[in-house]
Amino acid sequence: MIPVLKNSDYQIIKTLIENYHPSQRTKEMGTLQTELRRAKIVDDPLINHNIIQLNSYFEVKDIRSGNRLCFTLTLPSEANLKEKKVSILSPLGVALIGFQEGKEFEWELPAGVRKFVIEKVEQPIQEKA
């Protein structure tokens, strides 16, 4: 699967990674950079509403156990697990950015690789000027 990113998210994420000193970059950042290079970038108005973007709320289900995870994908400065906000630089954030509702993906957990399905994606309500 090729991730689909809106141009503004692509620019934000690219700049975020570039602002880290190479000695501070994590394995996830390297994986995210690889995903950015292979992603399809679209103009913001053309992004499908059911694709996980920055600030998207999503629900994923572990196919084997049936357990659900519900989070909002955020920048690292806004991440807070108590508030169910997960960073784009987390393994889960890297695994999900750019993928749409209904898609299956694998995620490596300490207990091993697990298969998940993206069950729901919601975008934040945009305030009108």
Side-chain angles (χ1 to χ4, degrees):
M1 289 190 303
I2 294 176
V4 178
L5 299 174
K6 63 183 182 181
N7 188 51
S8 62
D9 280 1
Y10 172 80
Q11 296 301 330
I12 290 168
I13 296 166
K14 185 176 166 216
T15 300
L16 174 72
I17 293 170
E18 288 171 352
N19 285 332
Y20 277 86
H21 188 275
S23 66
Q24 296 174 308
R25 293 191 183 149
T26 64
K27 174 184 158 192
E28 287 76 21
M29 286 182 192
T31 303
L32 187 55
Q33 281 183 306
T34 299
E35 290 294 286
L36 291 177
R37 282 193 288 273
R38 67 184 205 95
K40 178 181 178 184
I41 311 303
V42 299
D43 290 335
D44 287 17
L46 301 179
I47 193 82
N48 192 318
H49 72 279
N50 69 355
I51 292 177
I52 297 177
Q53 310 163 45
L54 285 175
N55 301 309
S56 294
Y57 168 83
F58 62 87
E59 295 178 11
V60 296
K61 181 176 82 171
D62 183 321
I63 294 172
R64 190 174 70 195
S65 72
N67 290 336
R68 277 194 175 74
L69 300 172
C70 306
F71 290 103
T72 298
L73 187 64
T74 67
L75 292 171
S77 61
E78 299 166 3
N80 182 328
L81 290 181
K82 288 182 183 176
E83 295 177 8
K84 300 283 190 180
K85 295 179 178 180
V86 66
S87 169
I88 181 62
L89 297 181
S90 70
L92 182 60
V94 172
L96 288 173
I97 187 75
F99 293 107
Q100 70 183 36
E101 193 174 297
K103 295 294 182 183
E104 292 184 10
F105 70 99
E106 292 184 347
W107 184 31
E108 188 167 347
L109 298 169
V113 175
R114 303 291 280 274
K115 275 192 158 184
F116 291 84
V117 62
I118 303 169
E119 290 200 320
K120 183 177 187 177
V121 177
E122 292 180 356
Q123 304 307 326
I125 296 171
Q126 301 294 319
E127 293 183 27
K128 297 192 178 189

